[in-house]
Structure formats: structure tokens, C-alpha cells
Amino acid sequence: MEQPQRVLIGIGGGIAAYKVCEVISTLFKAGMQVRVILTDSAKQFITPLTVATLARHPAYTDADFWQPHERPLHIELGEWGDVFLIAPLTANTLAKLSYGIADNLLTNTVLASKCPVLLAPAMNTEMWQQVAVQRNWQQLLTDTRFHGLAPGYGLLACDRIGAGRMAEPAEIVTGVQSLLHTGGERDLLGKRVLISAGGTREYLDAVRFIGNPSTGKMGLALAQAALHRGAIVTLVHAPIEESVPPGIRAIAVVNAEQMQQAMLENFPDADLTVMSAAVADVKPAAYSSEKLPKRSLPEQLLLAPVPDIVAELGRRKQLHQRLIGFAAQTGDIITPARQKLAQKKLDAIVANPIDKADVGFGSNFNAAIFLDFHGRQVEISQCSKLQLAHHLFDFVHGL
């Protein structure tokens, strides 16, 4: 059996500490081992008993730091973790880490560890925007060990609306999962990655359209994975169910023609393009800007073709660019994927089985077979869509 992944979490003294409870619970339910360190100020917002209950392991505090141990506690913890999450990261702890100060269990453990560290700051807008705080933040991120989830914009506990809101638990969990896969390596650092997502809608009238069940979850996972690996990410998405995380440039479209325009405009600057959107094959030949009465609906719907976006991208692809396609299929998924790989001039393709339980459209999970123009073939069994995204980028790295 594989060793469970181990996540060390440091909680700072801020009201956002309550959000970390969801992070701990989610990671534990995903089968990970979790250990938690609370600073003295963190205990003013959340109790050791709370996090110990959620992690199924006693929480560590500065009181434990000064107790005798067989080996120093900060050394044991620093060697134990595969990923170290600090959330909320306060201005105080940020300043200490940026200058290598170690005066409590949390900061000593950071210096005694080698694993990647994920930082999720949270503070009042005025505090976050201080020159000293921004200097410390930028300085810390020059160390490749540290990975940042910049705070978002919203209503803060001080009733101020502005920057400083800690990243939401789901975004933090995704960041942890990415680091567990990559070990903190940024193999796409500085690369421009263009991704399409979601199912396009081809409207008959103001309310009716031809579409498909795609929710855009796979495309979002690809965008997050690329971002976590250091890429500059642009996501062109049809209507999707989830919000696009911060740090990703998002371009919203509805139909295939709009998606084609956005993809063609951004394609020349892209080093890697992943066409994961489920683009419609046809559209109604006629469109009404008003809702048609039921009696006026045609008995036979005339259809017209829509642009073949990935084929056009294949024709325009330059030598330095890589183009990845998706092929959602039932039955034999490899033969049509190989044909599409060659016909569309792709560098690689993801063959998706959509006739299996709990994979593909709408699911949080996926399975696939990766094929490339060299003849390589790799099968990925059912896993989360974020994991599949990372497996794909690992595969593409071989190109």
C-alpha cells in the first residue's frame, strides 16, 4: 500500500482561522494525514481541541515546543510533512519568514523543513497594502520553496470591502493537492498556456439551444494545475458552473464562433494550448432573437456547421507551439482519437471514455488514455480531474 500523503498545517492568529477547519476536514476525508501547529495568537480564534478533532491527532502549540521530546519537536515535524500549509498567514509571521526569524514552533518548523510551503495570507486591506508587507511578500516568494495564494477581494471582518480576504478552502485544498503531485516543481514557469473549457451553446432562439453536458470542470482543473506549475494561464470558457480562481485570465464566451475568435486571438502567444472544451458540431441554421412560440417551432430543425476550432489551430501552429486535443468517446476510444490526432495536426490527445460510471461530463473524476504523435500511449485510471490535469502536463513534458 502507498504511504498516505502528509500535510502539515500552521495556523496564524486571524479571524480567517475558522476557514482552515474545512481545509483540515477535506484533506483528512481525502485520505491524507494531517498535523496542525497553532501559534499562541491562533488559539485566540480557534481551539487546539477543534483542529485535533478534525485532524484525528493532537494539535501542537508553543507549550509543546518547550516540553522535552526524544527528538526536537520542530525537527520531527519538519521532516514529517510532504507539504506545509500556512493559513492564515499573518503580517507578523510573514515578516518573520521573510527574514528567517524563528521564535516559535511554527517558524522553527519552517526552517527545519525542506518540503514546499503554501502560503495563504489574510489581513485587513490597509495592512496588506503596506509597503513593508508587500516587500516581505515578494521577497519570500523569490524562494522557490514558497508558493503563494494571494488574498482575494471581498467583505472583511473589519467591515471593509477590499483585498485581504484569505483564499477560500476549496482553492487552498487544490493548491495543496497540486504541490503533493509536483513536489513544488514549476516546470511551466513563464510558459503561456491557453486552455478552452465548457460546452458551447448554439441558440435557436432567446432561450433554446443545442448543447452538451460539459460543466467545464476539466478545463478549470487544467487551468489550476498549469497555474500551480508556474504558467501564465488564459482560460477561454463557455458557460461553466464554477468561478474561475484568481490568477487565471478568463475570457467568457457562449457559442463556437465566439470561442473560435477568442482562441485565434490568443493562440499566437501561447506556448501550450489545451483544447478541452466540448464544442458543438452544428448549430441551428436560423436564429430568432425572441422566444419562439411552441406552435412556431419547426418540425424539422435545419442545421449548419460550426467552426472546427482545433483543426484551425493545428493549421496555424508554429514549430515551438504544442497543441493538445480532447476526444470524448463511447466504446472504442483509441481509434477515433488516433484519427483526430493525425487529422487535426495535434501533438497529443486525451481520449475520454464517457460511457463509464462517474467519469467525464459533470463528474469530479475522470479517466483517459493519452496519445501523442510519437506513438506513446499512457492510460490513466479514474482519478480527480486535478490529478488527471497534472498527469497530462507530466505527459506533455515528454514532448
Side-chain angles (χ1 to χ4, degrees), residues 55 115 131 137 158 228:
C115 65
V131 172
W137 176 245
C158 60
H228 295 158

Side-chain angles (χ1 to χ4, degrees), residues 327-397:
Q329 300 287 345
T330 59
D332 173 18
I333 65 173
I334 295 180
T335 301
R338 285 196 187 282
Q339 292 172 347
K340 186 174 182 179
L341 175 69
Q343 293 170 356
K344 312 292 184 179
K345 299 181 180 179
L346 305 176
D347 296 288
I349 193 164
V350 179
N352 276 131
I354 57 173
D355 52 354
K356 294 185 178 180
D358 206 18
V359 296
F361 294 137
S363 173
N364 292 321
F365 302 93
N366 213 342
I369 297 174
F370 302 155
L371 309 167
D372 73 5
F373 68 93
H374 293 302
R376 285 192 304 157
Q377 180 174 317
V378 174
E379 183 171 357
I380 306 297
S381 57
Q382 187 186 48
C383 60
S384 73
K385 289 187 172 177
L386 181 71
Q387 288 175 307
L388 188 77
H390 279 297
H391 285 309
L392 177 59
F393 287 127
D394 293 341
F395 182 78
V396 170
H397 192 69

